[in-house]
Amino acid sequence: MKIIKSNKELEVLNSKKLAFVPTMGNLHAGHLKLVSEAKKLEYEVIVSIFVNPLQFGKDEDFDSYPKTLKEDKLKLISKECDYLFLPKSEELLNGIHQETSKYNNFLCGIDRPEHFNGVASIIRKFLEIIQPNSIIMGEKDFQQTLVIKELIIKHNFKCKLITIPTARENSGLAMSSRNNYLTENEKMQAAKIYSTLVDTKNLIFKNGFKRKDLKNKINYLKKNNINVIYFDLFDAESLESINESPRLKGDFVLATAAKIGNTRLIDNIVFSI
Ligand code: AMP
């Protein structure tokens, strides 16, 4: 695996077919699933590790975000990753264009006001300097995938977005670097987030969509010391909240953000009905 640290070194890759996996490091099996899927494309795979300051709010965990570069390198080598891009912050952020996404103020954007604009700005820069044929992202960050889809269309990038289903622990808990902040007990609690999403989806299929059912599920999570930021059903394209209906039809995402202690977790289920 070749390590690249500057835009200049990237230039030699411009003629290659590349699949790009952006990450913030502290790699887990979810990230590695993206790398494995990227490898299947028969392109060369480039993974970036960069903790993007533009997507963190001032009271968030930018400074304490887990950093495990040595282990990350070994994991990527085991997956036969071709290139690891470790950009220097000054070079990457220099002259960056501030993006605005139409999804910025929905779902996670409500309590993370500049988060998605920060994500879009950095991914735009990556797409400009790496010029990949594909970008591979996780469905766990469903809203982020919509932001990047919008970005690709807006700037006419010749890059295909490929999304990969969420990798989970045996308990159902979505894998996340932030799970490292949880105790074993809290991880057991956190698994209730996914099981409640599944139960709610099953109820929707059985009874139609009732706000009362949603309220009951939110109360259940709260009773289990899970501080729900949002837990709702959205249109999978517009992210508009869905009204009650005895018979839904369309593409939906049942999505939640919740805190356990100070740790903010997200999860979702995407489905068509
Ligand atoms: P992050 O390092 O958190 O910025 O994530 C980098 C990429 O990995 C994003 O596209 C995420 O959606 C994806 N990702 C994170 N967790 C998972 C997971 N549990 N399953 C699949 N993809 C994931």
Side-chain angles (χ1 to χ4, degrees), residues 74-102:
L74 294 174
K75 287 178 185 170
L76 290 173
I77 289 168
S78 79
K79 292 286 165 194
E80 296 176 13
C81 173
D82 299 282
Y83 305 98
L84 170 60
F85 184 32
L86 300 172
K88 291 191 196 77
S89 197
E90 320 81 69
E91 190 177 15
L92 198 65
L93 299 178
N94 184 24
I96 197 158
H97 299 281
Q98 170 68 43
E99 279 295 323
T100 48
S101 168
K102 68 178 176 191

Side-chain angles (χ1 to χ4, degrees), residues 2 4 6-18 44 83 129-130:
K2 185 170 167 25
I4 295 179
S6 70
N7 293 0
K8 185 102 196 92
E9 288 172 80
L10 279 174
E11 283 171 14
V12 293
L13 303 186
N14 285 168
S15 58
K16 295 185 187 285
K17 276 197 145 197
L18 292 173
E44 289 191 276
Y83 305 98
I129 60 178
I130 298 174

Side-chain angles (χ1 to χ4, degrees), residues 54 93-99 117 120-122 124-125 128:
L54 306 179
L93 299 178
N94 184 24
I96 197 158
H97 299 281
Q98 170 68 43
E99 279 295 323
N117 289 338
S121 303
I122 212 76
R124 175 179 172 184
K125 184 74 179 267
E128 285 168 352

Side-chain angles (χ1 to χ4, degrees), residues 21-34 48 50 55 65 135-142 144-145 162 164-169 173-179 266:
V21 182
T23 81
M24 298 202 298
N26 190 237
L27 303 181
H28 52 64
H31 295 114
L32 299 181
K33 199 168 145 193
L34 306 192
S48 64
F50 180 67
Q55 70 188 64
Y65 198 82
I135 178 167
I136 326 292
M137 306 189 97
E139 220 170 63
K140 189 189 132 233
D141 297 85
F142 182 79
Q144 173 169 276
T145 64
I162 296 171
I164 305 295
T166 304
R168 300 181 178 282
E169 305 288 353
L173 174 64
M175 289 183 181
S176 164
S177 304
R178 291 195 169 101
N179 292 351
I266 58 170

Side-chain angles (χ1 to χ4, degrees), residues 188-206:
M188 268 161 57
Q189 247 177 295
K192 294 198 165 70
I193 295 173
Y194 181 60
S195 61
T196 305
L197 283 171
V198 173
D199 290 348
T200 309
K201 187 199 127 182
N202 291 341
L203 266 183
I204 292 170
F205 272 80
K206 198 164 142 229

